């Protein structure tokens, strides 16, 4: 099944997240990731939801989300016409012998080392899901102790934007 | 105007022209009930909160207005849940007001605290937990707007007791502005043209009318469309009454408990026009069987219903009344005589099963409903319980107008019919309101006879007593090799004596010969009445 990215503008009220999450669980939709934060308008939050499913499912998800009174606007983002990122923090085992190699990998991925201890390195990476997965894959050999991810956020390229009142090009 | 929250609620309900509400008090809603004393709004004290919400639903369905019910926090609120879900499944406009524990105690599991907004979120159209008393007027305004517009449904407003006691400057908004709620009413002209074209090319079209036609008050338009075009109609259970049962193009209810001709038409059509119906599984189970042969037009105010259960050729989103008006203007009479001949032949080959009723030592419910149809008027109202009694009523009672047949369609909630009849009776005044019940269902709400007595509501109760959970027994008979499990109600009370305890008149009949006179006696006045009919447990549903 394909992954689809939905940008959802919602009222910035308590309880909205639980309504959205509840809808997904009771209708049996699969969420790959969900990230939420306030927008430039403090009354409005924006959720980026990555859904796993075929076109029928994505249409159902959009329509059902639209029925929630707190949902203001939904747009499915075109992969080729949007930028999507996730952020991960990865804590990996590091000894004197492996530290140099890890640092090299980190540089190749343009990731960052944000914390060091005698036997660990903590790496921050942001990028598309594939890139994060590739780094994770490379670091496995050293032993990953912990990994935290934000879930995908995404934005359209160029002059397109999603606002409460319009989503046309300017 | 400086008011307490409690007074503000009452004031807002007055602004919404609420005439009556149904409820049950408790500590967390006491400020509201205190303020109620100074209001002219009628309040009906039911015997269980579930009765209150069902009554509000019955009232809403016969009047087309929004029904209002009230309960206290905790158990009061949770008792509403079945009724809220029932109203949601049938798209009935209800506003439910619940008391909540004091704001600062929420989340501490204090006495009678229940998260009712959390609990009802899956089956209400929207809900609110009021945290700031200043929001009350806006929230109540929005709640009535949301409940009654678009696809109607229940809205819950949960109001902590301290919010009811705080003061605010009361200004009632004259309009609402909800960014995420803008229902579409006007149908897209291009789509409506496509509908007309599809109809002109159809050789075997059929309309499936659902509860949305009733909700939209579009039965006049449906009748006009049908008369002008000659298209036959089937209805869902919720759509009963959208076209008179006896209209020559009405093939009756479709689905697993529907009529042969109705199902035949739907399965052999080349064009199916679904309007205000959600293609529920009881109506159409195997949708792919239908789409193999037919193009599908789906008209609905809720875009999420279109394409959910059946693949659609022409979707039309909007208010079915407005859309039908547009359609009537452009549609031409169809030449589908062959199709109508076929259908009429099927219809006459598969009539409703009417046995010989003359000689019996039980009352045949199908016969009784046929006789009842002759004794009631076009404005009389029937509510039903759930089970065989419901299906008998749906198929055998002659419903002449919309909003006259009130039943729990989507949820199939036993115990709905009696309280819904109370609400309906209050809604229609002098018109006859008759609840058709089963012995099982009746006992789920029979305490509401107390409400009927206290408020002198002339509700007529018919109980089809088969001393069984008849419909479940029938399932066990057919699908579980007659292994009957927990479906016997052998020790039923004496229902007539029970009525007597509430000082209703009543009688028991056990033969068809008594049906006519007994019904006439029952209908002779506007007093509560209970007619118990002894029914053969083997009488089949269909
Ligand atoms: C609240 C509720 N519980 C259980 C059911 C399942 N159920 C459907 S029909 C039925 C039997 C109803 O018995 P009765 O009211 O006597 O009607 P009859 O079928 O005998 O006419 C039951 C238990 C239901 N619909 N609603
Ligand atoms: Mg029974």
């Amino acid at each position: 099944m394909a992954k689809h990215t939905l940008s959802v503008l919602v009222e910035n009220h308590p309880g909205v997240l639980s309504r959205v999450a509840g809808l997904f669980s009771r209708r049996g939709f699969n969420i790959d990731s969900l990230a939420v934060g306030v927008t430039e308008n403090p009354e409005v939050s924006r959720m980026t939801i990555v859904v796993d499913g075929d076109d029928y499912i994505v249409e159902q998800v959009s329509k059902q989300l639209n029925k929630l009174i707190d949902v203001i606007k939904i747009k499915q983002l075109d992969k080729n016409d949007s930028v999507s990122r996730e952020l991960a923090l990865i804590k990996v085992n590091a000894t004197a012998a492996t530290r140099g190699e890890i640092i090299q990998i980190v540089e190749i991925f343009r990731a960052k080392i944000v914390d060091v201890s005698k036997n660990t390195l903590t790496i921050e990476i942001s990028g598309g899901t594939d890139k994060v997965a590739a780094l994770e894959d490379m670091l496995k050999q050293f032993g990953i102790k912990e990994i935290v991810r934000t879930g995908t956020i995404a934005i359209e390229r160029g002059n397109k934007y999603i606002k409460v009142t319009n989503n046309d090009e300017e | 105007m400086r008011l307490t929250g409690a007074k503000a609620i009452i004031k807002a309900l007055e602004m919404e022209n609420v005439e009556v509400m149904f409820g049950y008090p408790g500590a967390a809603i006491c400020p509201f009930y205190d303020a109620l004393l100074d209001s002219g709004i009628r309040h009906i004290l039911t015997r269980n909160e579930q009765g209150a919400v069902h009554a509000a639903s019955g009232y809403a369905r016969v009047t087309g207005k929004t029904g209002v019910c009230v309960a206290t926090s905790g158990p009061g609120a949770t008792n509403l849940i079945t009724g809220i879900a029932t109203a949601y499944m049938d798209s009935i406009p209800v506003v439910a007001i619940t008391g909540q524990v004091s704001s600062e105690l929420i989340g501490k599991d204090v006495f009678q605290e229940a998260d009712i907004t959390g609990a009802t979120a899956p089956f209400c159209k929207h809900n609110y937990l009021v945290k700031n008393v200043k929001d009350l007027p806006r929230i109540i305004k929005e709640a009535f707007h949301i409940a009654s517009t678009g696809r109607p449904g229940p809205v819950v407003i949960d109001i902590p007791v301290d919010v009811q006691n705080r003061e605010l400057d009361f200004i009632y908004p004259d309009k609402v502005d909800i960014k995420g709620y803008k229902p579409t009413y006007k149908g897209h002209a291009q789509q409506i043209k496509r509908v007309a074209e599809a109809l002109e090319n159809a050789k075997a079209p059929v309309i499936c009318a659902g509860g949305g036609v009733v909700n939209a008050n579009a039965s006049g338009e449906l009748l006009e469309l049908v008369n002008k075009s000659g298209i036959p109609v089937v209805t869902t259970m919720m759509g009963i009454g959208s076209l008179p049962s006896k209209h020559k193009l009405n093939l009756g209810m479709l689905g697993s408990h529907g009529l042969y001709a109705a199902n035949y038409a739907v399965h052999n059509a080349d064009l199916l026009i679904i309007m205000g119906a959600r293609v529920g599984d009881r109506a159409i189970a195997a949708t792919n069987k239908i789409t193999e042969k037919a193009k599908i037009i789906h008209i609905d105010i809720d875009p999420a219903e279109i394409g959910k259960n059946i693949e659609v050729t022409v979707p039309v989103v909007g208010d079915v009344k407005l859309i039908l008006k547009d359609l009537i203007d452009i549609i031409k009479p169809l030449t589908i005589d062959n199709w109508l001949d076929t259908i009429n032949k099927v219809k006459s080959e598969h009539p409703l099963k009417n046995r010989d009723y003359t000689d019996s030592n039980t009352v045949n419910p199908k016969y009784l409903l046929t006789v009842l149809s002759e004794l009631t008027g076009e404005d009389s109202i029937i509510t039903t319980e759930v089970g065989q009694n419901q299906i008998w009523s749906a198929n055998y009672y002659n419903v002449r107008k919309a909003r006259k047949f009130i039943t729990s369609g989507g949820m199939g909630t036993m115990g709905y019919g009696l309280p819904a009849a109370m609400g309906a009776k209050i809604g229609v005044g002098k018109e006859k309101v008759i609840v058709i019940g089963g012995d099982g269902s009746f006992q789920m709400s029979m305490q509401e006879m107390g409400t009927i007595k206290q408020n002198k509501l002339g509700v007529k109760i018919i109980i089809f007593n088969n001393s069984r959970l008849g419909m479940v027994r029938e399932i066990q008979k057919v699908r579980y090799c007659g292994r009957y499990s927990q479906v016997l109600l052998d020790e039923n009370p004496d229902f007539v004596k029970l009525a007597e305890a509430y000082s209703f008149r009543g009688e028991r009949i056990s033969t068809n010969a008594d049906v006519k006179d007994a019904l006439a006696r029952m209908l002779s006045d506007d007093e509560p009445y209970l007619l118990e009919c002894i029914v053969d447990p083997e009488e089949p549903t269909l």
Side-chain angles (χ1 to χ4, degrees):
Chain A
M1 272 191 277
K3 299 202 189 310
H4 304 263
T5 306
L6 300 176
S7 268
V8 186
L9 296 184
V10 301
E11 297 277 357
N12 184 12
H13 288 160
V16 178
L17 184 60
S18 94
R19 284 182 212 271
V20 170
L23 188 147
F24 272 80
S25 75
R26 80 172 164 274
R27 294 207 180 256
F29 302 141
N30 291 319
I31 307 185
D32 231 52
S33 73
L34 187 157
V36 54
V38 71
T39 62
E40 70 283 358
N41 174 353
E43 288 178 4
V44 177
S45 294
R46 177 158 166 165
M47 293 183 178
T48 306
I49 306 177
V50 180
V51 187
D52 215 7
D54 55 17
D55 289 348
Y56 167 80
I57 298 278
V58 176
E59 185 182 328
Q60 279 300 306
V61 169
S62 302
K63 283 175 163 180
Q64 294 297 341
L65 278 174
N66 247 323
K67 280 181 76 165
L68 297 179
I69 308 288
D70 288 330
V71 168
I72 303 165
K73 180 165 265 174
I74 299 173
K75 188 161 187 200
Q76 188 177 346
L77 299 189
D78 180 347
K79 226 193 212 122
N80 301 319
D81 211 15
S82 59
V83 181
S84 69
R85 290 286 179 273
E86 68 175 273
L87 181 96
L89 297 171
I90 305 172
K91 188 177 288 178
V92 65
N93 289 328
T95 60
T98 59
R99 187 164 279 130
E101 195 181 341
I102 294 172
I103 291 171
Q104 258 186 6
I105 293 170
V106 165
E107 274 169 9
I108 293 168
F109 275 87
R110 291 184 207 185
K112 260 196 292 190
I113 298 193
V114 291
D115 186 59
V116 191
S117 78
K118 260 192 268 161
N119 40 22
T120 63
L121 283 173
T122 300
I123 297 150
E124 173 194 315
I125 176 155
S126 86
T129 312
D130 296 348
K131 182 176 168 187
V132 176
L135 177 63
E136 186 189 341
D137 206 38
M138 288 301 291
L139 294 174
K140 260 189 200 146
Q141 50 181 314
F142 307 104
I144 293 174
K145 286 188 114 60
E146 218 178 354
I147 185 159
V148 195
R149 311 185 135 171
T150 55
T152 300
I153 55 170
I155 199 163
E156 286 173 292
R157 290 183 190 276
N159 274 338
K160 288 188 187 155
Y161 59 91
I162 308 170
K163 276 240 159 95
V164 170
T165 45
N166 80 21
N167 59 355
D168 296 322
E169 272 180 61
E170 282 228 319
Chain B
M1 188 178 9
R2 238 12 224 172
L3 290 180
T4 62
K7 290 209 164 98
I9 304 168
I10 299 281
K11 187 82 196 142
L13 294 178
E14 287 168 359
M15 301 293 282
E16 292 295 334
N17 298 315
V18 172
E19 300 167 328
V20 60
M21 50 193 158
F22 306 87
Y24 210 102
I29 191 79
C30 264
F32 169 87
Y33 274 98
D34 187 70
L36 177 67
L37 288 173
D38 303 320
S39 157
I41 303 177
R42 186 174 180 195
H43 180 282
I44 304 291
L45 175 68
T46 56
R47 293 300 177 270
N48 180 310
E49 290 83 354
Q50 191 181 124
V53 54
H54 287 333
S57 161
Y59 173 85
R61 289 173 71 160
V62 299
T63 60
K65 297 182 198 161
T66 300
V68 180
C69 62
V70 186
T72 191
S73 67
T78 54
N79 269 356
L80 290 179
I81 282 181
T82 300
I84 291 168
T86 303
Y88 182 71
M89 285 294 263
D90 290 343
S91 308
I92 308 303
V94 168
V95 168
I97 296 171
T98 51
Q100 182 53 280
V101 301
S102 204
S103 307
E104 78 279 5
L105 297 176
I106 289 179
K108 308 252 188 312
D109 296 328
V110 296
F111 181 65
Q112 295 194 331
E113 179 184 358
D115 174 11
I116 199 66
T117 47
T120 56
F123 41 73
C124 66
K125 193 171 170 188
H126 194 49
N127 62 26
Y128 296 90
L129 170 59
V130 185
K131 295 208 169 132
N132 187 332
V133 69
K134 283 197 292 240
D135 294 335
L136 259 177
R138 174 186 57 83
I139 286 176
I140 295 175
K141 180 85 192 170
E142 285 183 6
F144 276 86
H145 177 71
I146 291 170
S148 61
T149 55
R151 178 181 184 174
V155 178
V156 177
I157 313 175
D158 196 27
I159 312 175
V161 64
D162 59 313
V163 173
Q164 297 171 47
N165 284 325
R166 286 222 180 91
E167 284 196 348
L168 75 158
D169 280 319
F170 183 86
I171 300 165
Y172 202 60
D174 49 347
K175 44 179 188 307
V176 295
D177 179 26
I178 309 165
K179 291 196 265 314
Y181 182 70
K182 306 250 162 22
T184 305
Y185 292 101
K186 185 103 182 88
H188 197 290
Q190 196 55 39
Q191 293 299 86
I192 295 171
K193 237 173 100 189
R194 287 180 66 196
V195 175
E197 281 163 16
L199 274 169
E200 274 165 40
N201 296 322
K203 297 197 170 56
V206 62
I207 289 171
C208 170
V213 178
V214 177
N215 270 342
N217 298 314
S219 52
E221 286 74 14
L222 177 61
L223 183 67
E224 201 182 331
L225 177 77
V226 167
N227 286 344
K228 189 170 172 189
S229 65
I231 309 171
V233 175
V234 304
T235 70
T236 65
M237 183 177 277
M238 290 300 296
I240 290 175
S242 59
L243 192 71
S245 300
K246 291 270 149 60
H247 189 285
K248 69 176 194 308
L249 288 168
N250 190 344
L251 307 177
M253 182 170 79
L254 85 165
S256 52
H257 295 90
L259 304 187
Y260 189 93
N263 287 320
Y264 176 90
V266 168
H267 281 89
N268 290 281
D270 67 352
L271 182 68
L272 175 62
I273 307 138
I274 303 163
M275 47 181 79
R278 61 191 170 83
V279 197
D281 57 316
R282 286 282 166 119
I284 303 179
T287 52
N288 54 333
K289 285 260 160 55
I290 288 164
T291 46
E292 270 169 24
K293 287 191 188 163
K295 285 189 183 160
I296 310 292
I297 292 168
H298 197 165
I299 303 171
D300 207 290
I301 196 152
D302 180 358
E305 287 305 341
I306 297 179
K308 185 177 88 179
N309 293 342
I310 195 166
E311 222 174 295
V312 171
T313 325
V314 186
V316 193
V317 176
D319 179 84
V320 60
K321 186 184 182 87
L322 298 179
I323 292 167
L324 290 187
K325 274 191 176 150
D326 291 346
L327 197 55
I328 289 163
D329 286 343
I330 56 172
I331 197 168
K332 302 183 184 111
L334 307 180
T335 38
I336 48 170
D337 293 345
N338 287 345
W339 171 235
L340 292 179
D341 288 347
T342 313
I343 285 177
N344 282 329
K345 190 158 159 265
V346 171
K347 205 171 159 181
S348 60
E349 283 166 5
H350 297 87
L352 279 171
K353 292 187 189 102
N354 278 330
R355 292 202 320 237
D356 178 9
Y357 294 125
T358 41
D359 175 34
S360 69
N361 45 22
T362 53
V363 172
N364 186 290
K366 297 165 182 171
Y367 170 70
L368 183 141
L369 287 158
T370 315
V371 176
L372 182 65
S373 302
E374 286 158 15
L375 298 178
T376 53
E378 60 172 17
D379 285 314
S380 301
I381 284 163
I382 296 290
T383 76
T384 83
E385 293 291 351
V386 170
Q388 294 186 293
N389 60 84
Q390 178 183 38
I391 308 300
W392 290 328
S393 307
N395 288 333
Y396 287 83
Y397 182 76
N398 175 17
V399 183
R400 282 144 279 192
K401 281 186 176 177
R403 299 192 178 280
K404 308 298 177 195
F405 183 76
I406 310 298
T407 196
S408 166
M411 199 72 170
T413 304
M414 289 170 70
Y416 176 75
L418 184 63
M422 304 186 320
K425 184 66 186 162
I426 287 169
V428 296
K430 280 272 168 270
E431 288 304 334
K432 294 271 184 290
V433 176
I434 303 149
V435 47
I436 311 284
D439 48 320
S441 301
F442 174 72
Q443 292 184 77
M444 280 210 184
S445 283
M446 67 181 180
Q447 70 280 2
E448 297 303 340
M449 286 199 292
T451 313
I452 292 174
K453 175 169 192 256
Q454 186 175 6
N455 295 282
K456 302 185 173 57
L457 304 175
V459 170
K460 309 293 183 183
I461 303 166
I462 295 178
I463 300 175
F464 288 143
N465 184 0
N466 49 13
S467 300
R468 304 286 187 284
L469 300 175
M471 181 164 270
V472 180
R473 179 183 180 275
E474 196 177 42
I475 294 171
Q476 293 175 351
K477 177 176 172 176
V478 179
R479 283 194 241 147
Y480 294 84
C481 310
R483 282 162 56 87
Y484 297 121
S485 180
Q486 302 299 315
V487 290
L488 275 185
L489 296 171
D490 275 343
E491 295 297 323
N492 268 334
D494 180 329
F495 291 113
V496 177
K497 271 206 185 131
L498 200 59
E500 232 170 71
Y502 287 94
S503 62
F504 299 178
R505 286 195 306 134
E507 70 176 301
R508 176 182 305 110
I509 54 173
S510 49
T511 157
N512 288 328
D514 291 339
V515 163
K516 207 166 208 153
D517 290 346
L519 286 177
R521 278 191 291 279
M522 179 186 87
L523 294 170
S524 66
D525 59 21
D526 198 28
E527 303 292 317
Y529 196 95
L530 188 147
L531 177 63
E532 180 188 353
C533 309
I534 305 303
V535 165
D536 181 356
E538 296 296 338
E539 180 64 35
T541 301
L542 293 175

